Amino acid sequence: MPRIEDDTRRPRRQNTGERRGDWRRRLLTWGLVAAALVLGFLIPYTIYLNHQVVERFGQLQWQLPTRVYARPLTLVPGMALDAATLKTELDAASYRDDGAGVRPGTYQHEGRRWRIASRGFQDVGGKVGPSRIQVVIAGGKVAELRDLARDQAIRSAVLDPARIATLYGQKQEERRLVQIDDVPELLVTGLQAVEDRDFADHHGIDLSGMARALFVTVKSGGETLQGGSTLTQQLARSGLLGIGQEQTATRKFNEILYALLIESHYDKRTILETYMNQVYLGQRGNQEIRGMAAGAEYWFGRDLRDLNTAQIALLIGMVKGPSAYDPRRNPEAATGRRNFALEKFHETGLISAEELEQAKAAPLGITDAPGSTSANRFPAYVDLVRRQLARDYPAGALQGAGLSVMTAMSPSAQAYAEGAVAGTLKALDTEKRPPLQAGLVVTDVHDGAVRAVVGSREFARHGFNRAIEARRPVGSVIKPFVYLLALAQPGRWSLASWLDDSPVTVTLDTGKRWTPGNSDGRSHGSVRLMDALAHSYNQATVRLGMEVGPERVADLLRTLSGVDAKANPSLILGALDQSPYAMAQLYQFLASGGEVQPLHAVRGVIDQDGKVVKRYDTTPAPAQEGDAIAARLVTIALQHAVTNGTGRRLVADGLGHLNAAGKTGTSNDSRDSWFAGWTGDHLAVVWVGNDQNEPTGLYGATGAMRVWSSIFARLPSAPLQVSDDGLDWEWVEGSHGTDPDCPGARRFAFVAGFTLPYQPCYRYESDPYYDQGAPADEADEPGFWERLFGGGRGRELDPARRVPPPPPAEPPPPSPR
């Protein structure tokens, strides 16, 4: 039986028209669905991108680094300054000698005359405008100061400060924002001539340019990659997409969308200004160089406005690839790219044929070092800056905040201090001596400003800051404050007072007996108070300190520097661990003439708009009269220490003209070497020792004082002149005032109204009451100070050996004093 098929299961044959209609409907449906999907994705995505454009480019919310500056150099006629130091200051601030000194940031040097064109800057005291001045240096001083614009003598001039550090945020981006009006015209037009000739006419993308680029690339078989991106696309790529990522179709699509959105929101001027501040121009480690202004500083060490035609062309040429055209690594490639940009300048009529040839023949003009964009060239000093700002700014608040931190650092003082540490320690290195380290602080005696800090002999490295963190036994540098307390009681003590430098024993609270000796192992009998300090006699100092009271010594240290010391008898001889910075704060009281001056490394903080947020350079309170007089007396004694005592080698070093005051210090077993000394302008406290606390064999005079001497052999500083206010000078012999021509007489300063009673001189060798048999101490030969004032310690005898003369028949007439 034949099989019967079910017709209902067969496909029904359709005619051609029906099939074509179904296909069209399906295609339309699929198209509508696809369009809906695309629009459904593209519209929200475009809105998202639009939000990013507005947030990023509309508000220009870049994370700007906080910049740290040295103090501005203030020039005043008569101030101590030499040519080498002025050049050091100008070099630090990126000035250059162009032989003219007309353009800002340049100078001209001819013999004693310097012509300097400053840039102007915002300081804590207000805006300082640019200027052109002439400085004449003669005899180690500023002999003349003139304003060249007005052709007249002026009382002072201020040069813009050097940048010493940069505090970055999360992104290590070096950037300096500029407005389009501050950008050289050739840079604005030249950038368009090289990178985007149709910038003024397109709407974000250049279809014809993209077609040309594609044609060149295809024609070369991929060997020549022709760029077709507009400046707006480059800005979108750099600002929102980031750099260093592989180019893909998705990234290119995003780049085009960004460019179109940017052009729809902002005018050409804003776009171009943003490009100038965003363009990537190099890399220093993990630090990106962003923007034309930062690029000019990094590559040429110049302000953007000071670039010449060839340098502008090189900067524009490097936009294509800062790594490929790095002029330090690839000078030939950089030169070729620069010349290519110059040719484009000429083609578009921006420069003449003559200018083209001159610019091509010019050197690249790159600085040897990468400008002043280094994150931190002075780690020890910046460490102090951070510490002093910590009480007002939480950790990290300064980084990337776009602030300007104005410090008190002197680039020349810092350079001389670093050189002194490196050179002196190298000279002191021996195979038998353990590795030496150092820490020092240099301050201004007038206001407590910290001019230099060195925390290590490897001063450029970050690490342990010995100037601030190292706490080492201070030894004899504490002694002047024992004598200060004594001299503050003029009814009991004066510089001419006699002290007993014989063996002494002190019973401690524990019941133990303490018997300190002198460093030379000798006792010196009765000695003048001034000599006991100048020669650092321990036995005499302990006797004086026990009379003054260790408790008062501890209180004084706490008052002057915040040092918390235990009031033990051993404190009198420096049984105290402190840092060079703490000792500098203590000595600032003496160096300032009795003023309490808190040391400060920061002068002030300025925000992005030039507004002063905080000032730290307050005027110190005047010294109280009693403090000032006592400080002067100690200073006179420590000047004697330099001319005739433990610091006398400074005079041999040729520093006698400074009339410096200073005190050496040495801890037990010569583990620590100290010196604190000051002139009319500067105080420096130096420590030299070993990190493992091993004996170094160095005394204060053979270690730390050598560093101090090396600093002040180069650092211009005024001689120390001690005021006579509140003082009376008197010639003294024995325990009485006497006549200047009396043998053995010495001249001493006394608190006014507390001079010794006058007694005529009866101690000539022919006088029967003169004890000719009393021997003089060989160690007390007259030195510079005694010879200067006509006396000598070698002519004085122990009062116990003197036979007092009989009273005169009638009182002698008063002698003028």
Side-chain angles (χ1 to χ4, degrees):
M1 181 174 163
R3 181 180 174 198
I4 301 174
E5 296 182 0
D6 186 357
D7 291 340
T8 61
R9 300 181 62 184
R10 292 182 181 178
R12 186 169 61 90
R13 185 181 298 274
Q14 295 177 325
N15 60 41
T16 304
E18 290 177 339
R19 289 199 301 272
R20 187 177 296 117
D22 290 344
W23 180 83
R24 288 173 178 170
R25 283 193 297 272
R26 285 195 298 271
L27 181 60
L28 177 60
T29 301
W30 292 341
L32 291 174
V33 171
L37 290 174
V38 170
L39 291 175
F41 166 76
L42 189 59
I43 291 175
Y45 186 63
T46 304
I47 293 173
Y48 164 73
L49 294 185
N50 184 70
H51 174 73
Q52 280 199 328
V53 166
V54 172
E55 181 179 10
R56 179 67 168 168
F57 292 95
Q59 300 176 13
L60 300 180
Q61 293 288 327
W62 285 309
Q63 193 176 57
L64 300 178
T66 288
R67 295 176 173 86
V68 184
Y69 294 91
R71 60 96 178 92
L73 177 62
T74 301
L75 299 171
V76 179
M79 70 177 287
L81 187 67
D82 56 36
T85 301
L86 178 56
K87 187 176 187 306
T88 298
E89 292 280 344
L90 293 174
D91 288 346
S94 298
Y95 278 75
R96 70 184 189 283
D97 186 354
D98 68 347
V102 175
R103 301 182 67 181
T106 66
Y107 67 92
Q108 175 195 47
H109 178 208
E110 292 181 348
R112 301 184 307 170
R113 186 183 67 185
W114 299 69
R115 290 183 173 178
I116 305 170
S118 67
R119 305 181 181 95
F121 65 103
Q122 188 71 37
D123 198 15
V124 293
K127 188 173 183 179
V128 178
S131 63
R132 287 191 65 234
I133 62 172
Q134 178 172 288
V135 185
V136 177
I137 297 178
K141 295 181 179 180
V142 175
E144 180 185 336
L145 192 61
R146 298 188 67 82
D147 184 324
L148 293 176
R150 294 179 292 173
D151 192 25
Q152 65 182 35
I154 52 178
R155 295 181 178 180
S156 66
V158 183
L159 304 183
D160 44 298
R163 180 172 160 197
I164 62 174
T166 309
L167 308 180
Y168 295 98
Q170 294 180 348
K171 287 189 175 183
Q172 296 286 303
E173 292 182 350
E174 173 61 30
R175 192 194 314 270
R176 183 186 296 275
L177 296 184
V178 294
Q179 294 182 345
I180 197 69
D181 291 336
D182 297 327
V183 178
E185 180 66 23
L186 182 59
L187 181 57
V188 176
T189 55
L191 178 66
Q192 297 174 60
V194 175
E195 290 293 321
D196 188 358
R197 196 171 297 185
D198 298 324
F199 174 74
D201 300 319
H202 63 63
H203 298 287
I205 60 174
D206 184 0
L207 295 177
S208 61
M210 295 172 67
R212 287 195 302 271
L214 179 62
F215 175 76
V216 171
T217 301
V218 172
K219 185 178 180 181
S220 66
E223 295 182 1
T224 301
L225 299 177
Q226 179 73 34
S229 298
T230 64
L231 287 176
T232 313
Q233 286 178 266
Q234 293 179 34
L235 179 59
R237 184 189 314 144
S238 176
L240 294 175
L241 295 173
I243 61 172
Q245 300 183 34
E246 183 180 355
Q247 186 70 279
T248 63
T250 300
R251 283 176 55 82
K252 194 65 178 179
F253 176 72
N254 286 339
E255 175 188 307
I256 292 173
L257 280 181
Y258 277 133
L260 293 171
L261 289 169
I262 290 171
E263 291 273 354
S264 69
H265 280 286
Y266 309 109
D267 57 42
K268 295 291 185 177
R269 179 186 177 88
T270 302
I271 294 171
L272 202 54
E273 184 175 282
T274 306
Y275 184 97
M276 293 286 182
N277 290 314
Q278 174 63 23
V279 62
Y280 174 70
L281 284 170
Q283 191 87 13
R284 179 191 175 106
N286 63 346
Q287 172 189 336
E288 296 180 3
I289 308 300
R290 289 283 189 171
M292 292 293 186
E297 186 176 3
Y298 178 74
W299 292 110
F300 307 110
R302 293 190 180 190
D303 186 274
L304 192 62
R305 294 166 294 184
D306 298 333
L307 299 184
N308 58 37
T309 299
Q311 291 168 330
I312 288 175
L314 177 56
L315 204 59
I316 291 173
M318 292 175 64
V319 167
K320 184 177 181 181
S323 178
Y325 302 110
D326 185 328
R328 294 191 183 101
R329 297 180 180 179
N330 306 310
E332 293 184 0
T335 301
R337 182 62 183 171
R338 180 199 66 177
N339 292 346
F340 170 80
L342 288 170
E343 292 285 355
K344 294 296 182 182
F345 290 0
H346 179 56
E347 287 178 14
T348 51
L350 300 179
I351 61 175
S352 65
E354 182 180 359
E355 288 177 300
L356 172 64
E357 295 306 316
Q358 289 178 349
K360 280 187 173 182
L364 292 177
I366 300 300
T367 59
D368 295 333
S372 59
T373 60
S374 174
N376 187 351
R377 292 189 285 170
F378 308 100
Y381 195 96
V382 175
D383 178 37
L384 178 60
V385 169
R386 290 178 184 271
R387 290 168 185 262
Q388 294 196 345
L389 289 174
R391 65 177 180 267
D392 295 320
Y393 297 89
L398 293 173
Q399 296 180 348
L403 303 175
S404 294
V405 178
M406 314 304 289
T407 77
M409 195 193 89
S410 161
S412 56
Q414 183 72 31
Y416 295 157
E418 292 173 350
V421 167
T424 304
L425 266 56
K426 183 178 180 180
L428 293 173
D429 284 338
T430 65
E431 294 182 358
K432 296 182 179 180
R433 181 171 287 146
L436 297 176
Q437 272 293 353
L440 69 81
V441 176
V442 180
T443 71
D444 189 310
V445 303
H446 304 292
D447 59 7
V450 179
R451 298 304 187 200
V453 179
V454 178
S456 167
R457 67 187 297 175
E458 298 87 11
F459 46 81
R461 294 184 183 179
H462 295 257
F464 185 57
N465 189 346
R466 293 162 186 81
I468 301 173
E469 299 176 88
R471 296 170 62 89
R472 303 301 293 255
V474 299
S476 295
V477 290
I478 210 70
K479 289 179 181 176
F481 301 93
V482 177
Y483 287 80
L484 179 70
L485 288 171
L487 292 169
Q489 304 176 60
R492 295 186 63 187
W493 287 288
S494 71
L495 293 178
S497 295
W498 292 99
L499 298 180
D500 181 8
D501 188 55
S502 62
V504 59
T505 298
V506 177
T507 301
L508 306 177
D509 292 340
T510 60
K512 294 183 178 180
R513 296 166 66 84
W514 178 48
T515 306
N518 289 328
S519 61
D520 60 1
R522 301 170 55 195
S523 296
H524 304 90
S526 293
V527 296
R528 299 284 188 185
L529 182 146
M530 183 165 74
D531 297 330
L533 177 55
H535 291 275
S536 199
Y537 293 151
N538 289 338
Q539 295 171 161
T541 303
V542 168
R543 279 195 166 85
L544 180 65
M546 292 305 295
E547 289 194 59
V548 168
E551 297 81 6
R552 293 193 62 209
V553 176
D555 288 342
L556 178 65
L557 301 182
R558 189 177 303 109
T559 300
L560 296 183
S561 65
V563 169
D564 190 11
K566 294 182 179 179
N568 296 325
S570 58
L571 175 63
I572 297 169
L573 297 185
L576 171 72
D577 293 352
Q578 281 302 319
S579 68
Y581 184 83
M583 297 311 296
Q585 179 64 81
L586 194 60
Y587 267 84
Q588 190 71 22
F589 178 80
L590 297 176
S592 66
E595 294 181 355
V596 178
Q597 296 180 351
L599 299 186
H600 61 278
V602 182
R603 298 168 52 242
V605 178
I606 302 173
D607 66 15
Q608 298 180 47
D609 299 323
K611 181 181 178 182
V612 177
V613 179
K614 181 79 173 179
R615 288 194 69 166
Y616 298 88
D617 57 341
T618 56
T619 303
Q624 297 183 12
E625 184 178 5
D627 292 345
I629 293 173
R632 289 180 197 131
L633 291 172
V634 173
T635 300
I636 290 170
L638 293 180
Q639 286 180 311
H640 183 57
V642 170
T643 55
N644 286 75
T646 57
R648 58 187 175 272
R649 185 171 173 179
L650 292 177
V651 177
D653 289 345
L655 300 180
H657 66 282
L658 292 175
N659 298 332
K663 184 69 187 75
T664 56
T666 310
S667 66
N668 291 338
D669 300 323
S670 298
R671 298 177 189 274
D672 302 274
S673 170
W674 289 85
F675 187 75
W678 66 98
T679 67
D681 286 333
H682 301 96
L683 161 72
V685 177
V686 184
W687 166 84
V688 172
N690 172 260
D691 284 343
Q692 283 69 46
N693 200 29
E694 300 176 79
T696 64
L698 296 173
Y699 294 92
T702 57
M705 196 176 78
R706 309 307 310 137
V707 176
W708 194 98
S709 179
S710 181
I711 296 172
F712 285 87
R714 301 182 65 191
L715 179 64
S717 198
L720 175 58
Q721 297 178 344
V722 181
S723 171
D724 283 342
D725 291 347
L727 301 179
D728 284 339
W729 288 83
E730 182 179 38
W731 289 91
V732 175
E733 204 285 328
S735 297
H736 299 276
T738 191
D739 301 314
D741 58 351
C742 184
R746 293 174 60 187
R747 192 168 181 254
F748 289 92
F750 292 84
V751 177
F754 289 89
T755 54
L756 298 177
Y758 171 79
Q759 181 170 296
C761 182
Y762 290 98
R763 290 170 173 74
Y764 294 99
E765 294 184 3
S766 60
D767 193 304
Y769 296 100
Y770 188 79
D771 184 2
Q772 298 183 21
D777 190 336
E778 293 180 359
D780 292 335
E781 289 296 320
F784 174 82
W785 188 269
E786 290 83 3
R787 293 194 299 272
L788 179 64
F789 292 105
R793 290 174 53 246
R795 301 294 302 277
E796 295 172 354
L797 304 178
D798 190 310
R801 298 173 182 157
R802 291 193 175 91
V803 180
E810 58 184 26
S815 174
R817 284 176 281 155

